[in-house]
Amino acid sequence: MAAALEALGPDALPTSESRQRLGIIYCAMAGCVNYSRRFYDETLRDPATASPLVFPETVFNSPASHLASLLGTLSLNYTLVGDPGTYLQGLALAADWLLTDTVDACLVIGAEELDWLVAEALRLFSHQSVLSAGAGALYLVRSRNEPREIRLEHVTAPQNFLARQPRVTAARRVRQALPLASQNTLLCDGLQGAPLLDTAEAEVWADWPGPRLSPKRICGEAFMAGAAWECVAALDALSRQVSSTAIVSVMGCDQEAIATQFGFAFEPAAKCTPQ
């Protein structure tokens, strides 16, 4: 809720007063793991006394419904469950809603909880990864033709990890699907200093000539929230004129590779230089 309200900014008030059709797309991988663990713990201890109040919180779409209630919006409200690449699919879905005039604006939120169950699951695959948690949100609206307007320019088709398409092949096809980038384009990748998980993405983007950011090296692995943080970091760099365009590359845990590109609807007056 904090990430959503920060993304909405001054538009949170008209949303709560139902002056615009606000769509909500909530993306999660692990879901409401704390509530789920609590419910099953109580059930195993004594099924007769397990709290029925906990059970509604175990479903994946409860955070989105709570957020819609807080904002007072009655428009479309979707929950997408998948690996971190699903967050970029959420951006594509939001763009489709805006282009078809289904909503006036759309919040795309990625959030994850911290729990020992998730930490142990991650440790089975990578001892170098540091689990983190939190949320990130982007607020998408139709173009307002403003000079400093940042535009969602492109979302690639997801490339699934298959026996005939390993991670490195999927990542390479995603890069090939992106528009040609300039030397001033920022790359925001998902490298986290864990060789086992970084190998495919590091190989495909090894020759990147422009500036790049790796938020997970600082923030840790937060799955869906981590993908949202990559997008937020890219947009922050654009707003500070570090670059004129930005690419966000997301290598999912076990499902897909996908990428998106942001840029200015109108070229900034000042020339952007890498920093």
Side-chain angles (χ1 to χ4, degrees):
M1 289 183 178
L5 292 175
E6 183 179 347
L8 281 171
D11 282 356
L13 181 60
T15 298
S16 63
E17 296 177 357
S18 300
R19 290 205 297 266
Q20 71 168 343
R21 298 171 299 164
L22 176 69
I24 294 175
I25 299 175
Y26 172 74
C27 305
M29 178 175 165
C32 303
V33 65
N34 285 291
Y35 279 106
S36 298
R37 181 175 56 79
R38 177 182 162 191
F39 174 75
Y40 287 116
D41 179 64
E42 291 185 0
T43 302
L44 290 172
R45 288 175 184 271
D46 187 351
T49 60
S51 173
L53 296 177
V54 179
F55 185 73
E57 301 289 353
T58 64
V59 296
F60 276 100
N61 65 338
S62 59
S65 64
H66 290 329
L67 183 59
S69 178
L70 173 70
L71 297 175
T73 177
L74 301 177
S75 298
L76 283 176
N77 186 317
Y78 277 22
T79 295
L80 304 183
V81 179
D83 76 0
T86 304
Y87 186 78
L88 300 192
Q89 293 200 42
L91 293 181
L93 178 60
D96 180 70
W97 287 358
L98 291 169
L99 289 172
T100 56
D101 195 30
T102 305
V103 296
D104 299 319
C106 190
L107 268 173
V108 185
I109 307 148
E112 296 291 351
E113 297 177 351
L114 193 62
D115 188 88
W116 72 267
L117 284 171
V118 184
E120 280 295 301
L122 179 61
R123 187 174 175 81
L124 291 175
F125 296 93
S126 174
H127 288 272
Q128 292 84 13
S129 295
V130 177
L131 183 68
S132 61
L138 294 188
Y139 178 46
L140 280 71
V141 298
R142 292 190 190 86
S143 174
R144 295 169 177 170
N145 297 321
E146 296 175 353
R148 299 297 306 160
E149 188 174 86
I150 299 175
R151 178 175 58 190
L152 174 62
E153 294 184 336
H154 191 82
V155 179
T156 69
Q159 294 293 327
N160 292 334
F161 305 145
L162 306 168
R164 62 179 181 278
Q165 180 168 271
R167 294 173 66 91
V168 66
T169 303
R172 186 173 292 113
R173 288 180 176 174
V174 163
R175 181 175 180 179
Q176 293 170 349
L178 288 165
L180 292 177
S182 68
Q183 289 190 345
N184 194 41
T185 299
L186 171 71
L187 172 63
C188 198
D189 61 40
L191 302 182
Q192 55 184 295
L196 185 63
L197 301 180
D198 290 348
T199 300
E201 190 173 19
E203 177 181 334
V204 170
W205 296 96
D207 62 342
W208 183 253
R212 65 193 298 169
L213 289 173
S214 301
K216 288 184 180 180
R217 292 186 183 272
I218 300 171
C219 300
E221 173 60 89
F223 303 123
M224 202 69 71
W229 293 343
E230 285 186 51
C231 294
V232 170
L235 294 179
D236 177 70
L238 290 179
S239 68
R240 293 185 290 107
Q241 299 189 44
V242 173
S243 297
S244 56
T245 54
I247 290 172
V248 175
S249 167
V250 177
M251 288 290 292
C253 300
D254 58 1
Q255 186 176 352
E256 64 192 338
I258 190 170
T260 186
Q261 181 170 308
F262 299 95
F264 289 101
F266 306 95
E267 283 296 325
K271 183 178 180 181
C272 299
T273 56
Q275 296 181 358

